Amino acid sequence: ASNYSPDWPAIALAKKQAVGWTCEECGLKCLSPDAKPNLSPSDRKKLELSVHHSDYNPANNSPSNSMLFTLPRWEISPVNITWLQSRH
């Protein structure tokens, strides 16, 4: 069973649209779902925008609990690194 609310896809899409498909960490303009650039799958993945819960609780959809990152930025973000270290 998922801890995400049934309306999570709509919440995530609204958040991405609100920031203009831009990474909140680095300011990189990312790809919207309708963008069709001629990129390799790996380059396309680098420009994908994801919404992450800063407290790692997918049921907490408070606007202040969500952050938008490209995948490369998320992997090196202090929030993610701290959480990963806490799990060891």
Side-chain angles (χ1 to χ4, degrees):
S2 174
N3 290 330
Y4 289 90
S5 64
D7 59 344
W8 174 246
I11 291 169
L13 178 61
K15 177 79 173 179
K16 292 172 186 178
Q17 290 171 331
V19 300
W21 296 90
T22 302
C23 177
E24 292 182 313
E25 179 73 13
C26 69
L28 183 67
K29 179 75 171 176
C30 297
L31 298 175
S32 64
D34 57 337
K36 305 289 185 216
N38 187 17
L39 297 173
S40 69
S42 64
D43 285 342
R44 192 171 172 79
K45 193 73 172 166
K46 292 174 189 172
L47 294 174
E48 190 175 291
L49 191 62
S50 298
V51 182
H52 298 276
H53 294 87
S54 59
D55 68 357
Y56 287 85
N57 176 1
N60 180 357
N61 292 325
S62 166
S64 65
N65 189 46
S66 62
M67 305 171 294
L68 288 128
F69 289 98
T70 60
L71 183 58
R73 279 290 174 184
W74 176 244
E75 290 174 344
I76 63 169
S77 75
V79 171
N80 192 39
I81 291 170
T82 300
W83 181 79
L84 289 171
Q85 290 171 341
S86 73
R87 298 190 44 99
H88 286 79

